Amino acid sequence: MSDEELKAEYMSPRDLSGHGTHVASTIAGGQVSNVSYGGLAAGVARGGAPRARLAIYKVLWGPRGSGSHAGVLAALDHAIDDGVDVLSLSLGQAGSELFETLHAVERGISVVFSAGNGGPVPQTAWNAVPWVTTVAASTIDRTFPTLISLGNKQMLMGQSLHNNASMNISDFKALVYTRSCSMQSLASSNITGKIVLCYAPAEAAITPPRLALPIVINRTMEAGAKGLIFAQYDANILDILTMCKGNMACVVVDFEIAHTILTYLDKTK
C-alpha cells in the first residue's frame, strides 16, 4: 500500500472508508430511535447484540479498503491470543485466512464470514467451508410504497425512495411504452413531458435490473421525460431502489403490475 493512500487514514482501529463502522454497528450497534431514510420507513435501528463488547482488528486501509493476506492472518493470530469468543470477518472472498480460522475453531471460537454481495444466481456465495458460519447479505423487512394512478381511476402500487415532495406528480401525464428503453426505442417516440413505461422481460433476462436502471434513468431524463415506471423481476429490489431517487419521478414495479399498465395503455388513448 502506498504512502499516498495512508495519508488521510487513521492510525487506529477507526476506519476511513466506513466499512469497519458498518460491520461493527451491524454486530453491536446501540439502539437509535426515529431513524428514517429522508422521512421514509421510520423506526428503531440497532445492531444484533447491542450489549456485546467489541475488539476491533483493522486489516483494511485507505479509501478503497486495501489489505493483504498477511495482515489478516496477523489479526487472526492476535484475536486468538486475546481470547475472543466470536470472530466476525466481513472481507469478501478470503484465501488462506479460511484455513487459519481452523486454529480459532479448535480453541472454541465461533467464526463468521460474509458470503459476499453476489446473487441471487447460483454459485455466487463466498467463504463456504464447513467449519465456519457463512452469512449471506440480507435485506430489510420494509417496502417503500408509491401509488401510480391510471386515467381509469385504477390505483397500482410500486416502490420508490423519493422523499422530495416536489418530485411528486399530482396531475395526469401522457403514458408512453418504450419496451426496453433502448436508445432506438426512445428516439422513435416523443417522450418529452410524459411518463415512460420501461418493460421488456426478454431483455431483462440478459441485462440485470441493477445494471439497466441507471442507464435507463439517464436516457429518459436526457430525452425530457417527466417520470419513469421501470419493470423488474429481481426479488432484491433494494439493490435498485437506491438508484430510483434522483431528479425525476421514478417508480419500480414488478412484471405483473407492468402488464396491468400495458393492458390499460392498449385499451385507451
Side-chain angles (χ1 to χ4, degrees):
M1 186 179 303
S2 68
D3 293 338
E4 192 66 30
E5 287 181 300
L6 289 175
K7 272 187 178 179
E9 183 60 273
Y10 302 103
M11 297 296 113
S12 73
R14 183 180 178 183
D15 64 317
L16 176 67
S17 66
H19 180 263
T21 301
H22 153 68
V23 174
S25 63
T26 300
I27 299 169
Q31 183 168 301
V32 182
S33 301
N34 300 317
V35 176
S36 70
Y37 182 89
L40 301 176
V44 176
R46 69 172 178 85
R51 293 189 177 184
R53 296 179 63 188
L54 293 179
I56 309 296
Y57 301 87
K58 183 174 177 178
V59 298
L60 302 178
W61 299 79
R64 293 178 295 177
S66 302
S68 67
H69 291 302
V72 177
L73 292 174
L76 286 172
D77 284 340
H78 282 301
I80 292 170
D81 289 342
D82 290 343
V84 300
D85 297 301
V86 180
L87 270 169
S88 178
L89 300 93
S90 185
L91 298 175
Q93 190 167 14
S96 55
E97 303 95 320
L98 278 174
F99 300 98
E100 177 70 11
T101 57
L102 275 169
H103 300 301
V105 174
E106 286 175 346
R107 289 163 174 78
I109 301 172
S110 297
V111 180
V112 182
F113 267 95
S114 69
N117 298 320
V121 297
Q123 300 182 6
T124 54
W126 293 343
N127 309 324
V129 291
W131 59 87
V132 306
T133 300
T134 308
V135 182
S138 65
T139 182
I140 62 173
D141 59 347
R142 299 186 182 187
T143 58
F144 300 85
T146 302
L147 280 175
I148 301 170
S149 304
L150 301 183
N152 61 0
K153 299 184 179 180
Q154 186 176 8
M155 306 288 281
L156 302 173
M157 191 69 73
Q159 292 196 61
S160 176
L161 286 181
H162 271 291
N163 51 33
N164 184 351
S166 65
M167 289 291 101
N168 294 338
I169 301 174
S170 56
D171 56 336
F172 283 100
K173 302 293 181 184
L175 180 64
V176 180
Y177 172 47
T178 57
R179 294 175 173 78
S180 66
C181 291
S182 64
M183 294 181 67
Q184 292 82 359
S185 62
L186 290 174
S188 63
S189 304
N190 178 15
I191 68 171
T192 303
K194 300 176 182 178
I195 307 296
V196 175
L197 171 63
C198 185
Y199 171 44
E203 284 83 351
I206 301 171
T207 306
R210 61 186 175 84
L211 298 180
L213 181 54
I215 298 172
V216 168
I217 290 174
N218 289 336
R219 286 175 181 167
T220 50
M221 284 183 62
E222 289 173 0
K226 185 69 175 178
L228 171 68
I229 301 172
F230 182 82
Q232 58 83 45
Y233 66 85
D234 197 341
N236 191 10
I237 192 172
L238 283 179
D239 271 359
I240 62 174
L241 268 188
T242 53
M243 307 171 192
C244 205
K245 61 177 184 178
N247 298 319
M248 178 182 68
C250 171
V251 183
V252 177
V253 299
D254 59 26
F255 284 169
E256 183 178 354
I257 295 294
H259 184 72
T260 301
I261 296 172
L262 186 57
T263 301
Y264 159 78
L265 186 61
D266 288 339
K267 293 181 178 179
T268 178
K269 294 183 180 179

